[in-house]
Amino acid sequence: MVYITRIEKFNAAHKLWVDDWTEEQNQEVFGKCSNKNWHGHNYHLHVTIKGTPDPVTGFVMDVKKLSIIIREQVVNHLDHSNLNLDVPFIPKGLQPTTENLIILIWQQLQTALKGYPCQLHGLKLWETDTIYAEYYGE
Amino acid sequence: MVYITRIEKFNAAHKLWVDDWTEEQNQEVFGKCSNKNWHGHNYHLHVTIKGTPDPVTGFVMDVKKLSIIIREQVVNHLDHSNLNLDVPFIPKGLQPTTENLIILIWQQLQTALKGYPCQLHGLKLWETDTIYAEYYGE
Amino acid sequence: MVYITRIEKFNAAHKLWVDDWTEEQNQEVFGKCSNKNWHGHNYHLHVTIKGTPDPVTGFVMDVKKLSIIIREQVVNHLDHSNLNLDVPFIPKGLQPTTENLIILIWQQLQTALKGYPCQLHGLKLWETDTIYAEYYGE
Amino acid sequence: MVYITRIEKFNAAHKLWVDDWTEEQNQEVFGKCSNKNWHGHNYHLHVTIKGTPDPVTGFVMDVKKLSIIIREQVVNHLDHSNLNLDVPFIPKGLQPTTENLIILIWQQLQTALKGYPCQLHGLKLWETDTIYAEYYGE
Amino acid sequence: MVYITRIEKFNAAHKLWVDDWTEEQNQEVFGKCSNKNWHGHNYHLHVTIKGTPDPVTGFVMDVKKLSIIIREQVVNHLDHSNLNLDVPFIPKGLQPTTENLIILIWQQLQTALKGYPCQLHGLKLWETDTIYAEYYGE
Amino acid sequence: MVYITRIEKFNAAHKLWVDDWTEEQNQEVFGKCSNKNWHGHNYHLHVTIKGTPDPVTGFVMDVKKLSIIIREQVVNHLDHSNLNLDVPFIPKGLQPTTENLIILIWQQLQTALKGYPCQLHGLKLWETDTIYAEYYGE
């Protein structure tokens, strides 16, 4: 069992905000992340799949194909987007925290990778260079 | 003459958009950067000053003081902000490109560093990990 | 179960030295790390906690709070310190190797995180850019 | 149980090519990686061992010794080599993909680390700054 | 005058070898870089142009256009290539050192950027993460 | 004129302290850097030389030779040292700030590079990942 990872990147705006709360409550819980006018990040996404290298090609999965799937399923939707407003697979009202975002990205990729002889193993999503989330589907 | 640099970071949203243009024109020139709902970046700012090390302290300038000035004059205004809407020192209607932003940051720091026995030498502003601007005040 | 990581940094001096050994023995085992006059490092600490994102805030744990805890429990004690002499939670005589240090940091954080609805999952401690330790509490 | 990692680097040429296939088939599967005249990479190898820190030295294993072993067993063979032609422990005809390479490096290190009171835990091999493989011996 | 830089990457094989020398002479001067079977690197290229930001777009030059020019003129020729054998703009017999390579890349870009209202200012070419060359056209 | 840079690294302890000042004065000016028991850093040193590539070898200077000179003249003295106590070329009583250190490193290298057909152009010394100094000999 070998694990192979491809890194892709996207830039996006978001804010953390609960509609049922007052501005003060939002400020208290989310601090500067509750700025009504949004802020944004350069996200780096690591997608790790696992499997046995093919005896002829030596590939667990062709990383070029993996890159195309990540871009079609994830990056094309998220890059230069507003995570609260623009992305079909992010439910309206859900906080676009790194934690929630990584679960939704997993679901996108899990579906797209069905039928391949390898498995989605884990994701790592950097929001800044001092914060990242990881998710393994369970 | 020794140059000393301090790096500070901020996250912000922005969009590139000319009001006098149609949506198609904006899309043609700015591409995905013209998304009406904004996108964003993690910016890394290098501030370089130059001078002669003090014979007693060995400092061109105390980097802790430099860090405080950068945060007061620049980062506190820009961090978790919308560069098109929120920042007093960015004129409304000016495109918040990395190029324009670095000139405005220079002006903020130039003023704040007056009176110190060192000079502001240059700035380097990373917008993503593949794009950066540099400015030397002229 | 989502994992979220915060990175904090500190600079410190240390040496590796066994009092019961001669200088030659120390030199033989620890090499340049046994320099009596100390040497030092920029340490980077990754603190990973795990849990379920809160349905309202989207947080496993507010990373700003996590950052405060890490600084209060770990960084404020270690930053600009001598690891052999200055740190209350490092027993005198214990070698301040990356391996021993990471276990002691775990104990500091484990205690401080009690009562939070998330769990400390793992630590990663970079000593240089070619050496790091990891610890998962067992 | 503490994990300690040492990073070593090497540069090498390789190509991905199946002799039984036509040039078109090779191009279709391997793309630019099938260039007959080779291409190359700067590889970064993370070697992680695990064990209990020695009560006197504080070491799971002396990282200087680990570095020597990695260089003798792996880097000296691979650095500035052609992975398809030059390396005794890479079978002729096996595709030198990151996936196959990491398994062979594991075997080299597994053998060399026998007799040490620690265990080889895992390897991580970066081929470019957007692709890496991991292997844990099973 | 603002400077804006775009980073692009390519992977390539090469060797350093003088045909008029014996194998021993080549080994003596070039060491492991003279391996007949080639070795390779992941190159990172910084392309810096300078000019005045356009008053409407805020661009010195659209970085997307700059990226396309770099890929058409440089990366598409060098990526997954053999620098000694495959590249039209590298004269046969010229050593493909980082120093010679950066001068040839400058010539490619200088020609392609004619007619733009900005100037090519400088190049920085990383061969490994401890070696890079810079060139300013004179 | 091509510039070529080699990066070398060292770890060291130091403190900033003026003997003629009280402990309070030292604390006020140098903050945590005045800790009597020292602290330390992982330093990264960039050494840039300039010249014309040799028409046969393609080298401005063989980077392997440059690396040996840097290690002999600088790194072997500084690595795992105490910058206040251990280094022959650092005058006692001089503050081992990054600014003073880079000037002394310049003098070491300037002397050692005499007789080579290239010139020392500049140095860049990273003290932490947010602070660096640069020096060009004047």
Side-chain angles (χ1 to χ4, degrees), chain C residues 11-13 77-83 86-87, chain F residues 35 37-40:
Chain C
N11 310 316
H77 296 290
L78 299 177
D79 191 34
H80 286 74
S81 80
N82 182 309
L83 301 177
D86 291 340
V87 185
Chain F
N35 177 12
N37 288 331
W38 322 94
H39 66 282

Side-chain angles (χ1 to χ4, degrees), chain F residues 30-50:
Chain F
F30 294 123
K32 293 185 297 182
C33 296
S34 67
N35 177 12
K36 285 181 191 171
N37 288 331
W38 322 94
H39 66 282
H41 299 290
N42 302 329
Y43 291 90
H44 291 203
L45 173 67
H46 297 221
V47 176
T48 302
I49 59 166
K50 62 183 172 190

Side-chain angles (χ1 to χ4, degrees), chain C residues 2 11 14 23 30 33 44 59 66 71 74 76 87 95 104 106 114-115 125-126 131:
Chain C
V2 179
N11 310 316
H14 77 158
E23 193 163 335
F30 295 122
C33 296
H44 290 203
F59 286 153
L66 178 59
R71 280 181 279 152
V74 179
N76 291 354
V87 185
Q95 297 307 321
L104 296 167
W106 175 277
K114 268 182 193 145
L125 182 61
W126 289 80
I131 300 172

Side-chain angles (χ1 to χ4, degrees), chain A residues 9-14 32-35 37-44 75 79-82 85-86 126-130, chain B residues 9-14 32-35 37-44 75 79-82 85-86 126-130:
Chain A
K9 301 171 187 180
F10 57 92
N11 309 316
H14 77 156
K32 293 187 296 182
C33 296
S34 67
N35 177 12
N37 287 330
W38 322 95
H39 66 283
H41 299 291
N42 302 329
Y43 291 90
H44 290 203
V75 171
D79 191 33
H80 286 73
S81 79
N82 182 307
L85 302 177
D86 291 340
W126 289 80
E127 187 185 75
T128 70
D129 61 1
T130 56
Chain B
K9 301 171 187 179
F10 57 92
N11 310 316
H14 77 156
K32 291 188 296 182
C33 297
S34 66
N35 177 13
N37 288 330
W38 322 94
H39 66 283
H41 299 291
N42 303 328
Y43 291 90
H44 290 204
V75 172
D79 191 32
H80 286 75
S81 80
N82 183 308
L85 301 176
D86 291 341
W126 289 81
E127 187 183 76
T128 70
D129 60 3
T130 57

Side-chain angles (χ1 to χ4, degrees), chain E residues 23-36:
Chain E
E23 191 163 337
E24 288 69 28
Q25 285 175 300
N26 275 290
Q27 168 65 31
E28 192 186 327
V29 173
F30 294 123
K32 292 186 297 182
C33 297
S34 68
N35 177 12
K36 286 181 191 173

Side-chain angles (χ1 to χ4, degrees), chain B residues 50-69:
Chain B
K50 62 182 171 190
T52 308
D54 180 273
V56 177
T57 64
F59 286 153
V60 166
M61 178 181 177
D62 182 353
V63 178
K64 292 188 299 296
K65 276 191 200 156
L66 179 58
S67 171
I68 291 170
I69 290 171

